[in-house]
């Protein structure tokens, strides 16, 4: 009842109604870019003629069906999941670290995933034939996922004493671990041959080109579970904005919230990085834009971040596929080229209004 | 109903900061904890609020707070820390609502508006917390704390406010706002335990005072029994003289080289 009253007469300082309207707008945007993504591609396959054929009952040519259902649709689904995972992970990390510049990379998942992927690319050829056949093309994503997971567990272990996790220690240990994994990665890159170097570069820039239903079947459930759990953290993250002690005084299980946040971010980001490589920027810019537009209340921020992250990544992918078609740009380049200046513009515009 | 502390000993790192502290605070009263810097006031408050582990007994309304589930404890007592940092640009209204969010509560916005008005911040709902003055921020935090224990506890047990230097950032008029709120909260049956620095202000609004020095309770009782030349001079380690106007004791300013003649 009070919720309805709140919408009817929005009290000053209450931005939930605006955030709810944003949810509808963002959901519409996700639908729009999804249609765009399905409709566009170098194959000349038309989504519209396929849909028309579906309606009239005519048979859809096999080639069109393959392009739509086995190439564009899994790519769209993967883009939606990865975009949502990166943006929600960013929002959760920023809430946990009480810092708008925090990024999923802080829990060590990106460094570890990167090292895992590089090791798989450079050393994968040395695997015994049987093992290589077993994992096949999944070797790089699997190595990335486990690399990310191991480094997160390591960081968590280092920064937890007596059942209490220090986020400050985690931040510092993350820098140390990042330097270490960077050094090992550097060694591997030094030892790599030319073909491997090219593969490494492309992996590092990120792409949705490798999307397939089997990959989705592995990464999808992990990301969806993490996304479904993250709204449960929202109240705790709001209280954490007042400091850990105060969150405890408010009756919240602070340590459980911290552990859950770290696990969900490591899982979602690990899975996302494993299947799409290093796509930067979404995790930091999406929550920030939403905070400027509708406020930092995590109960609205987390779901809206999922929508905006998904829409932004799909849009970036549409651009990446379109600008130099039939070739395509790595998507990480697109997110950075468009997102960077846009982010700077937002910061300049709001300078002096909002203190980080 | 009361807050009873017996034989409380606490450590910060390897240093024992509180030595066998004992005190009683009654619901319906304001109890002020005073003492020099480093005497263990804030540490004692952190023990009472469950933030720091200790040995000894604490009974809040007859129960050991360490055995009360966090969510239930949060309905029984609210804590105003000495300094409150806030990450992210929340509005004043949103900050107060966070105090209500931790438990399900109807009409959170209405309660938040009411407590903001109570601390003299009506009309500040939409202002960003980070853009408020230090004193206004302190009052927003007080409003958040009041909102947390807004609802009566099932069974009618008294609710408690633990305030760590609640007037430190405030001008004299807003100090009065805060002391009036504390007195009103006590008059409605709640208990207030406040760490205070300003002895004159404390003498005017606290029902009882607990004087700490070097981690031990040096005196406990109504202000006129604690505010004496001998007790205060010994506790603070400097010469202090106390005067009395009708019933309230107050400190006389002391100038080291220009002692005013008292006779």
């Amino acid at each position: 009842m009070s919720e309805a009253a709140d919408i009817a007469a929005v009290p000053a300082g209450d931005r939930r109604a605006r955030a709810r309207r944003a949810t509808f707008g963002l959901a519409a945007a996700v639908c729009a870019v999804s249609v765009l993504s399905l409709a566009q591609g170098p194959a000349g396959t038309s989504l519209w003629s396929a849909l028309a054929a579906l309606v009239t009952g005519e048979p859809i040519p096999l080639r069109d069906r393959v392009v739509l259902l086995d190439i564009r649709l899994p790519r769209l689904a993967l883009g939606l999941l990865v975009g949502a995972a990166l943006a929600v992970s960013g929002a959760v990390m920023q809430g946990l670290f009480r810092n708008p510049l925090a990024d999923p990379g802080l829990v060590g998942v990106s460094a570890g995933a990167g090292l895992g992927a590089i090791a798989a690319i450079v050393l994968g050829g040395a695997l015994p034939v049987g093992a290589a056949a077993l994992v096949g093309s999944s070797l790089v994503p699997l190595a990335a996922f486990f690399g990310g997971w191991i480094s997160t567990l390591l960081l968590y272990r280092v920064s937890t004493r007596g059942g209490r996790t220090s986020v400050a220690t985690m931040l510092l240990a993350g820098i140390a671990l990042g330097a270490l994994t960077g050094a090992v990665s550097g060694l591997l890159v030094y030892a790599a041959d030319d073909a491997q170097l090219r593969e490494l570069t492309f992996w590092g820039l990120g792409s949705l080109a490798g999307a397939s239903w089997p990959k989705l079947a592995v990464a999808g459930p992990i990301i969806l579970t993490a996304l479904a759990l993250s709204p449960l953290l929202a109240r705790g993250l709001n209280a954490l904005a007042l400091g850990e002690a105060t969150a405890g005084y408010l009756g919240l299980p602070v340590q459980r919230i911290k552990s859950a946040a770290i696990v969900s971010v490591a899982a979602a980001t690990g899975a996302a990085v494993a299947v799409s490589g290093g796509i930067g920027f979404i995790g930091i810019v999406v929550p920030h834009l939403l905070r400027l537009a509708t406020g930092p209340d995590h109960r609205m921020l987390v779901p809206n971040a999922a929508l905006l992250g998904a829409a932004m990544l799909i849009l970036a992918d549409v651009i990446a596929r379109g600008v130099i078609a039939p070739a395509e740009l790595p998507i990480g380049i697109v997110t950075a080229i468009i997102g960077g200046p846009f982010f700077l513009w937002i910061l300049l515009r709001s300078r002096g209004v909002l203190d980080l | 109903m009361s807050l009873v502390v017996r034989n409380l000993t606490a450590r910060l790192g390897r240093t024992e900061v509180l030595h066998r502290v004992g005190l009683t605070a009654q619901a319906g009263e304001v109890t002020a904890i005073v003492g020099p810097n480093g005497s263990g006031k804030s540490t004692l408050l952190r023990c009472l609020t469950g933030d720091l582990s200790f040995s000894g007994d604490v009974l809040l309304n007859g129960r050991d707070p360490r055995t009360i589930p966090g969510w239930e404890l949060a309905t029984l007592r609210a804590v105003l820390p000495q300094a409150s940092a806030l990450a992210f640009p929340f509005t004043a209204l949103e900050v107060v609502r966070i105090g209500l969010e931790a438990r399900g509560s109807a009409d959170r916005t209405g309660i938040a508006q009411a407590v903001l008005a109570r601390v003299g911040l009506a009309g500040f709902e939409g202002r960003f917390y980070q853009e408020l003055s230090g004193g206004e921020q302190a009052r927003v935090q007080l409003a958040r704390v009041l909102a947390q224990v807004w609802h009566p506890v099932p069974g009618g047990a008294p609710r408690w406010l633990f305030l760590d230097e609640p007037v430190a950032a405030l001008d004299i008029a807003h100090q009065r706002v805060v002391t009036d709120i504390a007195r009103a909260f006590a008059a409605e049956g709640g208990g207030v335990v406040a760490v205070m620095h300003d002895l004159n202000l404390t003498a005017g609004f606290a029902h009882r005072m607990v004087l700490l020095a070097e981690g031990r309770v040096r005196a406990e009782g109504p202000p006129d029994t604690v505010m004496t030349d001998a007790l205060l001079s010994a506790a603070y380690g400097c010469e202090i003289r106390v005067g009395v106007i009708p019933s309230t004791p107050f400190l006389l300013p002391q100038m080291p080289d220009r002692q005013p003649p008292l006779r």
Side-chain angles (χ1 to χ4, degrees):
Chain A
M1 187 219 88
S2 70
E3 298 287 308
D6 283 348
I7 295 172
V10 180
D14 197 345
R15 291 174 280 182
R16 282 172 305 158
R18 204 198 302 177
R20 281 196 204 96
R21 283 199 300 277
T23 306
F24 288 110
L26 289 170
V30 168
C31 295
V33 293
S34 297
V35 172
L36 202 61
S37 169
L38 284 179
Q40 183 228 28
T45 300
S46 165
L47 173 67
W48 314 118
S49 57
L51 284 179
L54 209 61
V55 172
T56 56
E58 284 172 43
I60 301 168
L62 179 66
R63 182 174 160 279
D64 285 2
R65 196 181 318 172
V66 169
V67 165
L68 282 175
L69 293 185
D70 290 336
I71 295 177
R72 289 187 196 166
L73 197 58
R75 184 172 186 142
L76 169 65
L78 191 72
L80 291 172
L81 284 175
V82 168
L86 293 175
V88 167
S89 297
V92 170
M93 273 297 99
Q94 287 151 26
L96 181 66
F97 283 88
R98 302 161 33 76
N99 187 327
L101 299 177
D103 156 282
L106 280 184
V107 291
V109 64
S110 306
L115 180 59
I118 291 170
I121 291 168
V122 177
L123 305 175
L127 275 180
V129 179
L134 195 66
V135 290
S137 63
S138 319
L139 179 63
V140 172
L142 277 177
F145 184 75
F146 284 109
W149 197 244
I150 289 167
S151 64
T152 302
L153 285 182
L154 198 68
L155 268 191
Y156 187 67
R157 186 64 66 83
V158 166
S159 51
T160 306
R161 288 280 152 73
R164 236 176 158 145
T165 306
S166 157
V167 289
T169 307
M170 195 155 189
L171 192 71
L172 294 173
I175 292 170
L177 192 70
L180 192 64
T181 53
V184 178
S185 301
L187 264 182
L188 289 169
V189 168
Y190 187 72
D193 61 32
D194 281 357
Q196 289 168 342
L197 279 178
R198 194 172 159 74
E199 198 180 342
L200 286 178
T201 309
F202 276 95
W203 192 85
L205 292 171
S207 172
L208 297 176
S212 63
W213 290 119
K215 265 192 191 177
L216 266 171
V218 178
I222 298 173
I223 293 177
L224 283 175
T225 308
L227 287 178
L229 291 179
S230 52
L232 302 178
L233 297 168
R235 258 178 15 171
L237 293 175
N238 280 348
L240 276 177
L242 289 157
E244 283 185 23
T246 298
Y249 297 145
L250 287 167
L252 289 156
V254 174
Q255 181 59 32
R256 231 186 299 158
I257 292 166
K258 284 195 280 192
S259 305
I262 291 166
V263 169
S264 86
V265 166
T269 314
V273 173
V275 290
S276 64
I279 300 176
F281 212 70
I282 299 273
I284 210 161
V285 84
V286 166
H288 195 91
L289 287 177
L290 287 172
R291 250 184 247 114
L292 283 175
T294 58
D297 184 341
H298 289 87
R299 287 171 310 165
M300 299 309 295
L301 182 65
V302 167
N304 282 353
L307 293 172
L308 183 57
M312 267 177 79
L313 196 64
I314 294 300
L315 186 65
D317 189 47
V318 166
I319 294 169
R321 284 189 287 152
V323 279
I324 52 167
E328 59 178 75
L329 278 176
I331 193 168
I333 295 179
V334 179
T335 55
I337 280 186
I338 297 173
F342 183 61
F343 193 37
L344 275 179
W345 175 70
I346 294 281
L347 288 179
L348 285 174
R349 212 177 57 121
S350 66
R351 187 174 45 185
V353 177
L354 295 172
D355 193 3
L356 295 184
Chain B
M1 285 294 192
S2 58
L3 170 73
V4 180
V5 179
R6 281 192 225 107
N7 277 330
L8 186 150
T9 298
R11 295 170 170 281
L12 285 179
R14 288 183 197 159
T15 319
E16 190 173 296
V17 181
L18 294 171
H19 321 284
R20 301 171 69 81
V21 165
L23 62 93
T24 306
Q26 299 292 340
E29 288 186 353
V30 176
T31 304
I33 302 171
V34 298
N37 291 334
S39 58
K41 303 185 295 293
S42 293
T43 307
L44 176 57
L45 203 71
R46 285 180 62 195
C47 292
L48 301 184
T49 55
D51 195 28
L52 200 67
S53 59
F54 56 88
S55 65
D57 301 315
V58 172
L59 292 176
L60 183 70
N61 297 346
R63 299 164 71 190
D64 185 342
R66 288 170 289 189
T67 65
I68 303 177
W71 60 268
E72 192 188 345
L73 195 56
T75 65
L76 279 177
R77 63 100 182 89
V79 184
L80 182 69
Q82 207 173 97
S84 298
L86 178 72
F88 306 120
F90 285 96
T91 62
L93 185 84
E94 287 168 343
V95 172
V96 178
R97 281 176 51 98
I98 292 175
L100 290 158
E101 251 174 44
R103 52 178 304 208
S105 169
D107 192 25
R108 296 189 194 127
T109 301
I111 296 172
Q113 287 168 331
V115 287
L116 277 172
R118 184 74 188 81
V119 299
L121 288 176
F124 280 67
E125 291 85 356
R127 297 274 298 275
F128 286 111
Y129 181 84
Q130 276 85 352
E131 290 173 3
L132 299 176
S133 75
E136 287 160 354
Q137 290 184 348
R139 283 184 285 145
V140 170
Q141 294 288 354
L142 179 64
R144 173 183 64 72
V145 165
L146 287 174
Q148 188 187 331
V149 287
W150 179 267
H151 294 286
V153 181
R159 287 158 281 165
W160 292 80
L161 285 181
F162 293 95
L163 313 173
D164 197 352
E165 293 189 30
V167 297
L170 302 179
D171 63 45
I172 196 159
H174 289 115
Q175 290 182 351
R176 276 292 297 275
V177 170
V178 172
T179 55
D180 286 352
I181 286 171
R183 297 273 301 197
F185 189 83
E188 289 158 19
V192 179
V193 177
V195 167
M196 296 291 294
H197 257 307
D198 185 332
L199 292 170
N200 284 338
L201 187 70
T202 307
F205 97 105
H207 298 91
R208 286 172 68 80
M209 289 173 77
V210 177
L211 177 63
L212 277 186
E214 292 169 342
R216 290 187 169 82
V217 174
R218 302 292 183 181
E220 186 187 359
D224 51 357
T225 65
V226 175
M227 295 265 287
T228 66
D229 293 359
L231 283 171
L232 292 183
S233 298
Y236 285 88
C238 67
E239 198 190 334
I240 293 173
R241 295 191 196 187
V242 181
V244 177
I245 29 174
S247 65
T248 309
F250 66 94
L251 300 192
L252 293 168
Q254 305 287 303
M255 295 296 164
D257 299 324
R258 288 178 289 147
Q259 289 283 349
L262 271 183
R263 287 160 285 273

